[in-house]
Amino acid sequence: MPITVLVVDDSSADRLLIKNTLSDYRVLEACDGVEAARIIESEEEIDILILDLNMPNMDGFAVLELIKNSERHKKLRPIILTAYDEIENEIKGLKSGAVDFIHKPIHSLALKARVDVHAALINAERALEKKLSEQALTFDMVFEQAPIGIAISHNCFPKEYDDPSKIRINPMYQKITGRTKEELIKLGWAKITHPDDVAEELENFRKVESGELKEYSMEKRYIRPDGSVVWVNVTVYSLLPIGENKFNYICLVQDITERKQIEFERKYISEHDRWTGLYNREYLVSLLEKHAKTMQCSKKALICINLSMAELLTANYGYQYTQNMIKKAAEALSRFCSESCVLFYPSENRFVFYLFGYKQRSELDEFCGKVAQTLESLLVTDRITGGIGVLEFGGGQEEPEVDELLRKLLVASDKSVGLSEKNFQVCFYDKELEELVNRERDIGEALGRIAAGAPCEDEIYLEFQPVLDLRCGAVCGFEALARLRSQKLGLVSPKEFVPIAEETKLIIPVGERVFEKAFLFLGKLKQRGFGDMHVSVNVSVIQLLSPGFTKNLFALIDKMGVDPRQICIEITESVFASDYEKINSIFDELRSSGLQIAIDDFGTGYSSLAREKELKVDCMKIDKIFIDKLLETDPHKAITGDIISMAHRLGQYVIAEGVEHKPQLSYLIEHGCDRVQGYLISRPLGEEKALEFLESFGVGGAI
Ligand code: C2E
Ligand code: MG
Ligand code: MG
C-alpha cells in the first residue's frame, strides 16, 4: 500500500512545491485546518500529515488537537512547518503530538529526505505488524485446535484473580476437565484435582512460582462434574513476567486415561492370582522389599496358612473341586484384611497374611486363633487339615533378604502341619525351629554324601536285634536297624534321619547300602555256622515303589550269593494308604522268589483288618504300643491276643515288638505269639556283638 501524505498549507505555492517534491507518494492537499479536518475524517488511511501552523479559519495547533486523542489516527505522523524564528511554536507543536518539523522556506531536498525517513519507519512498522498478526493467527489456530489442553495464565492459579481476562483456556482443556472456561476460572485447578494429588502438585507449583524450578511435569487426576476421574499428564512452565510481581505460566494437559487403564490392567494381572483374585507372590516380594526400606521400625509378621493337605482332595475329587474349595477359603480369609493386613495367594494351597504395625505378639496369637476357627468351620466337611506358620521380623532389627524371609516362613508353615492333634496349629519361627531346620539340612547333606558314595566321614552302619522264636526258644534271626554316624552331628537315630531320607528320596540309594550291609551280615552268620538265620530289613514305601526296586534287589541277591529265603522285608503300615494293587503285585513278585514280607508297627496307623486280609504278607509285627498295654490293662481285656489269633487265621505268623518285661512275654506265650523281639531278649547290637550274643545264647537257649 502506497504511503499517503496530506499537505495542509494556506500557501498554494508551498503546497505545489511539496506535491512536486513528494511525487513518489500519494499526496492530498488542504488549504486550511477545516478542509484538513474534513479530509482526515473521510480518508481511510493517511500516514503523514505536513501541517502549516499559521493558517486562517483553523490553524495547525487546532488540527493537532483534533487528532491527538483520536484512536483512529494514533498512527498518523504529523510534521509541522515552522519558520526559523518560531522556536516556541516548534516546541508547542512537538508537545501537541507532532513527530518532526520542517522550516520554511521549504528546502525541497531536506523535505524529501525527512519524509523518506518517516516513510521508511512506517513501512518497517507495517511489516512488523503484519508479521505479528500472522504469528498471532497461527498461535490462535494452534491454541484453539490443539489436541492437548492448554491454559495460559498471567496470574496465579489457584489464588484469587485480579484480572480473569488474562487467563486463556483452550477448548480441549475444557473438554478434558468437563468444565467451561468460566467454571475453571472460578474454581481454580486445585479444586478440580483429585485430593490425593493436590499436595504433590501444590508443592511442584510452589517451586515453579518461586523460581526454584523452571517447570514440572506429573501424572495426576482431575475430577469431572459427574464425579468421574480423568488421568492427565500435566506440564507447567513458567513464562517471562509480563507485569511487575506477576507470575505467568502455561499449563499443558494431556488426557492419558486410556493408557492408564491399560497400565492398571497390566499391573493388576502382574500382581494378582487369577483364580482367587488375591495378590500373588511377585507383589508380596515387591511389597516386602519396599517396606524393608520405608518401614524398618515397624513390627512385621508373615502368617502362612498351609493347606497342602488339600492335595489329597485333588487325588479323590479332581483339581476343580480343590480349586473351588481354595476360592471359598480365599473369600473367607479376605474378610480379615485391613489397611495393615494384606492377604496373598503366593503358591498352590498356601495363603499368606502380611501384617505390619502391630504392637505385640499376643495380637498375632489372637489373629491366628480367629483364622484357624474360620478355616476349621469352612473345611470341616472336607476333613482338610492344615497348619499356620508365623514369622516375625522388622521392629528395628536387621531384616534378612525377602527370599530368606519366605524360606523361613515356609519352614514354619510346613512344621505347623501335623504338629499336634489339633488342626491349624500355630508354629512360630524361632531359634529352636531354626536349629531344627539346620540340623535337618545337615542330616540331608550327610545322607547325600553317603548316597553319592564319595569318601567322607559320614557313614551308615547297621545294628542287629535278635528275634526269638517262642516255639523252640531259640534265636531265629535279626532285624537290621540302620544308624547314621555324621561327622558333624554324631550318632543320629533312624527315627530322625529316615523321614528326611524319605522326603529327599535319598532313602532309595541309602536303602541299597542297607541291603548290602545286611547281606554281608548274612554271609558272616553263615561263616560262623548260623546258616539258617534270617535277617529282616526295613524298607520304606518310597523305596518299594521306586522304579526297578525288585530288579535291583534280585540283582544284588545274585551278586552277593545270598539265599532269598533268609531275607524278610518289613514294611510299615503306611503302605495301606498307598497304591494298594501295585504294592500287592510287588509283594507277589518278592514272595515268589522266596523272600518274606512282614507288616511292621501293626496297629499304629492306617490299617484296617479288612485290608490286612487283602495284603499278601507272611508276618505281622505287633507294635510296641500293644505290648506296653499288657502292663496297664487287665490281661483278660487286652486285645493283643485277638490280634494274634486274627493274624493266625490269615495264615500269618506274629512277632511282638518292644518286649521289655517278663509278664509281657508270659502273656505272649500264653496267647500263642510266634516270635518276640525287645530289650528283654537283647538291645540292637553291633555286628560282632550280635554274633557273640548268638554264640553265648545258643540255639535253643533258655528263656
Ligand atoms: P522298627 O522297624 O519298628 O524297629 C524297631 C524299633 O524299636 C528300633 O528302633 C528298635 O531299636 C526299637 N526297639 C526294639 N526293642 C525295643 C524295646 O524293647 N524297647 C524299646 N523302647 N525300643 C525297642 P530304631 O532302631 O530307633 O528304629 C526306629 C525305626 O526306624 C524302625 O522301627 C524303622 O521303622 C526305622 N528304620 C530303622 N532302620 C531302617 C532302615 O534301614 N530302613 C528304613 N526304611 N527304616 C528303618
Ligand atoms: Mg522294623
Ligand atoms: Mg516296628
Side-chain angles (χ1 to χ4, degrees):
M1 204 177 22
I3 289 191
T4 303
V5 182
L6 173 60
V7 182
V8 188
D9 200 327
D10 55 338
S11 155
S12 57
D14 281 353
R15 288 204 308 270
L16 187 64
L17 174 73
I18 294 170
K19 192 171 179 177
N20 288 342
T21 308
L22 302 178
S23 58
D24 293 346
Y25 301 96
R26 177 175 169 245
V27 180
L28 305 174
E29 291 174 58
C31 62
D32 59 19
V34 177
E35 195 182 3
R38 189 179 48 76
I39 294 173
I40 287 167
E41 206 47 49
S42 62
E43 271 294 322
E44 259 311 291
E45 193 95 24
I46 296 170
D47 302 295
I48 298 170
L49 179 67
I50 298 178
L51 184 64
D52 188 12
L53 290 176
N54 302 316
M55 288 182 296
N57 298 331
M58 186 176 175
D59 66 9
F61 291 113
V63 175
L64 283 174
E65 208 52 43
L66 184 80
I67 58 174
K68 189 175 171 184
N69 298 318
S70 158
E71 185 65 21
R72 220 186 116 207
H73 302 109
K74 70 174 194 271
K75 285 190 192 159
L76 184 58
R77 297 177 155 261
I79 301 171
I80 48 177
L81 294 168
T82 58
Y84 277 106
D85 53 357
E86 288 178 343
I87 185 77
E88 272 148 33
N89 277 352
E90 216 171 276
I91 293 165
K92 190 178 165 195
L94 288 171
K95 278 189 175 167
S96 305
V99 295
D100 205 351
F101 58 85
I102 292 168
H103 287 146
K104 277 191 176 188
I106 295 165
H107 188 288
S108 56
L109 282 180
L111 169 75
K112 175 85 166 60
R114 263 328 214 287
V115 171
D116 282 351
V117 167
H118 285 285
L121 284 172
I122 288 166
N123 278 331
E125 211 172 79
R126 278 182 184 172
L128 197 66
E129 265 173 18
K130 190 168 168 237
K131 203 165 172 188
L132 278 175
S133 95
E134 276 170 6
Q135 272 179 359
L137 205 68
T138 313
F139 177 79
D140 281 352
M141 261 171 61
V142 171
F143 187 78
E144 291 300 311
Q145 292 173 23
I148 58 168
I150 307 173
I152 302 171
S153 168
H154 300 305
N155 222 314
C156 199
F157 259 122
K159 294 174 190 164
E160 290 296 307
Y161 305 106
D162 50 7
D163 185 358
S165 70
K166 286 186 177 166
I167 293 163
R168 293 189 68 185
I169 293 176
N170 80 341
M172 187 47 91
Y173 195 108
Q174 298 172 54
K175 192 175 166 201
I176 291 172
T177 55
R179 295 175 194 271
T180 62
K181 180 180 170 184
E182 289 69 32
E183 277 178 279
L184 288 167
I185 289 171
K186 195 166 155 219
L187 290 168
W189 60 254
K191 283 203 184 115
I192 62 164
T193 295
H194 192 286
D196 291 351
D197 302 332
V198 172
E200 185 188 343
E201 185 159 24
L202 281 175
E203 177 58 13
N204 284 335
F205 196 84
R206 186 196 60 73
K207 285 183 182 159
V208 172
E209 196 182 7
S210 67
E212 208 175 309
L213 282 179
K214 179 88 185 78
E215 63 176 82
Y216 70 82
S217 195
M218 64 181 276
E219 288 181 356
K220 66 171 227 179
R221 287 155 288 181
Y222 283 129
I223 310 274
R224 287 195 168 128
D226 63 3
S228 62
V229 165
V230 56
W231 270 97
V232 290
N233 192 318
V234 164
T235 307
V236 171
Y237 297 88
S238 70
L239 296 174
L240 289 173
I242 286 184
E244 238 178 82
N245 301 327
K246 286 275 164 54
F247 169 58
N248 308 301
Y249 70 91
I250 181 165
C251 168
L252 306 177
V253 177
Q254 202 178 359
D255 186 342
I256 54 165
T257 310
E258 221 167 281
R259 194 196 84 201
K260 275 283 178 192
Q261 204 66 40
I262 295 168
E263 265 178 33
F264 288 143
E265 274 163 26
R266 282 209 191 124
K267 193 164 180 282
Y268 185 88
I269 291 168
S270 72
E271 289 178 348
H272 288 78
D273 169 63
R274 273 178 66 183
W275 179 249
T276 57
L278 298 178
Y279 287 120
N280 60 15
R281 189 179 199 281
E282 281 71 28
Y283 185 61
L284 173 62
V285 170
S286 71
L287 190 64
L288 290 174
E289 281 171 350
K290 189 173 131 194
H291 281 189
K293 290 184 197 127
T294 58
M295 288 179 33
Q296 286 111 329
C297 293
S298 177
K299 266 175 161 290
K300 294 177 252 183
L302 287 167
I303 297 175
C304 177
I305 290 122
N306 184 341
L307 293 178
S308 56
M309 296 305 273
E311 273 161 30
L312 293 175
L313 267 196
T314 311
N316 289 335
Y317 303 111
Y319 184 65
Q320 198 54 44
Y321 188 90
T322 320
Q323 286 291 87
N324 290 338
M325 190 271 298
I326 287 291
K327 198 162 197 168
K328 267 195 267 167
E331 279 161 16
L333 293 175
S334 294
R335 290 185 210 120
F336 289 97
C337 291
S338 68
E339 263 186 18
S340 56
C341 174
V342 193
L343 179 61
F344 301 80
Y345 189 62
S347 63
E348 197 95 320
N349 304 333
R350 280 190 168 85
F351 292 93
V352 169
F353 279 108
Y354 171 40
L355 272 84
F356 47 91
Y358 62 93
K359 297 264 170 334
Q360 47 203 352
R361 189 166 164 159
S362 60
E363 291 171 46
L364 297 179
D365 290 328
E366 199 184 323
F367 181 84
C368 291
K370 284 184 192 160
V371 167
Q373 224 171 17
T374 304
L375 288 174
E376 263 175 66
S377 55
L378 185 79
L379 305 173
V380 68
T381 46
D382 287 317
R383 282 186 289 145
I384 292 290
T385 55
I388 300 176
V390 186
L391 173 70
E392 285 191 279
F393 58 106
Q397 306 279 335
E398 201 186 324
E399 282 182 32
E401 294 282 305
V402 171
D403 228 34
E404 180 64 2
L405 285 177
L406 295 180
R407 187 192 67 79
K408 288 180 169 177
L409 180 67
L410 194 70
V411 167
S413 86
D414 280 353
K415 282 278 170 239
S416 67
V417 179
L419 202 62
S420 72
E421 299 273 288
K422 196 171 161 265
N423 201 3
F424 292 106
Q425 186 71 23
V426 181
C427 173
F428 277 77
Y429 191 95
D430 52 19
K431 260 218 154 80
E432 229 171 88
L433 186 57
E434 172 120 39
E435 275 163 19
L436 181 67
V437 169
N438 289 342
R439 185 174 165 85
E440 284 179 356
R441 196 193 47 223
D442 290 341
I443 292 173
E445 284 173 4
L447 290 171
R449 285 190 290 271
I450 291 165
C456 60
E457 305 275 320
D458 312 292
E459 67 159 339
I460 286 279
Y461 69 94
L462 301 186
E463 281 188 341
F464 300 93
Q465 187 172 35
V467 178
L468 184 75
D469 190 327
L470 292 176
R471 273 165 304 183
C472 62
V475 172
C476 58
F478 292 89
E479 178 177 4
L481 295 160
R483 270 89 186 93
L484 167 67
R485 197 194 321 271
S486 132
Q487 188 204 5
K488 194 165 176 186
L489 307 170
L491 203 62
V492 183
S493 149
K495 285 190 198 107
E496 194 179 4
F497 77 77
V498 168
I500 297 168
E502 286 180 337
E503 215 170 284
T504 52
K505 299 267 193 305
L506 286 168
I507 192 72
I508 298 166
V510 167
E512 277 176 26
R513 304 271 181 287
V514 170
F515 271 119
E516 277 169 21
K517 288 176 197 283
F519 293 173
L520 280 175
F521 182 63
L522 269 176
K524 284 191 182 157
L525 283 170
K526 200 173 172 183
Q527 273 176 13
R528 304 277 270 261
F530 303 105
D532 56 348
M533 289 279 136
H534 74 260
V535 170
S536 292
V537 177
N538 293 284
V539 170
S540 87
V541 182
I542 292 167
Q543 280 171 275
L544 196 73
L545 291 175
S546 66
F549 171 76
T550 46
K551 198 173 135 241
N552 293 344
L553 182 60
F554 293 149
L556 190 69
I557 289 170
D558 272 356
K559 189 177 140 199
M560 299 189 65
V562 285
D563 182 350
R565 286 170 304 177
Q566 288 180 279
I567 307 163
C568 177
I569 283 181
E570 294 190 12
I571 297 275
T572 59
E573 266 198 329
S574 61
V575 76
F576 289 93
S578 313
D579 187 345
Y580 192 70
E581 277 174 21
K582 187 156 185 216
I583 300 263
N584 242 349
S585 81
I586 296 170
F587 283 175
D588 250 353
E589 208 184 336
L590 293 169
R591 290 178 80 203
S592 59
S593 296
L595 282 95
Q596 292 193 11
I597 310 287
I599 290 297
D600 204 351
D601 304 339
F602 183 83
T604 51
Y606 303 82
S607 63
S608 82
L609 291 174
R611 285 215 140 173
E612 166 74 13
K613 201 162 55 184
E614 293 167 37
L615 265 189
K616 298 170 184 168
V617 300
D618 306 277
C619 168
M620 183 195 284
K621 291 189 82 171
I622 304 178
D623 193 77
K624 186 172 179 296
I625 293 176
F626 290 95
I627 310 306
D628 287 346
K629 277 192 184 141
L630 296 177
L631 298 172
E632 301 160 11
T633 20
D634 173 358
H636 298 294
K637 288 184 187 153
I639 60 159
T640 316
D642 301 323
I643 298 174
I644 297 168
S645 344
M646 184 211 68
H648 284 160
R649 273 201 298 281
L650 294 174
Q652 298 165 0
Y653 67 90
V654 179
I655 303 180
E657 286 189 280
V659 179
E660 292 179 345
H661 305 281
K662 286 209 164 157
Q664 292 169 324
L665 183 65
S666 309
Y667 176 97
L668 293 164
I669 294 172
E670 196 183 314
H671 287 83
C673 183
D674 305 283
R675 298 176 188 182
V676 287
Q677 191 184 332
Y679 293 173
L680 184 66
I681 291 81
S682 167
R683 287 184 176 253
L685 305 165
E687 210 173 79
E688 208 37 56
K689 284 258 159 44
L691 291 166
E692 282 170 18
F693 177 84
L694 207 50
E695 278 155 1
S696 66
F697 192 88
V699 179
I703 287 282

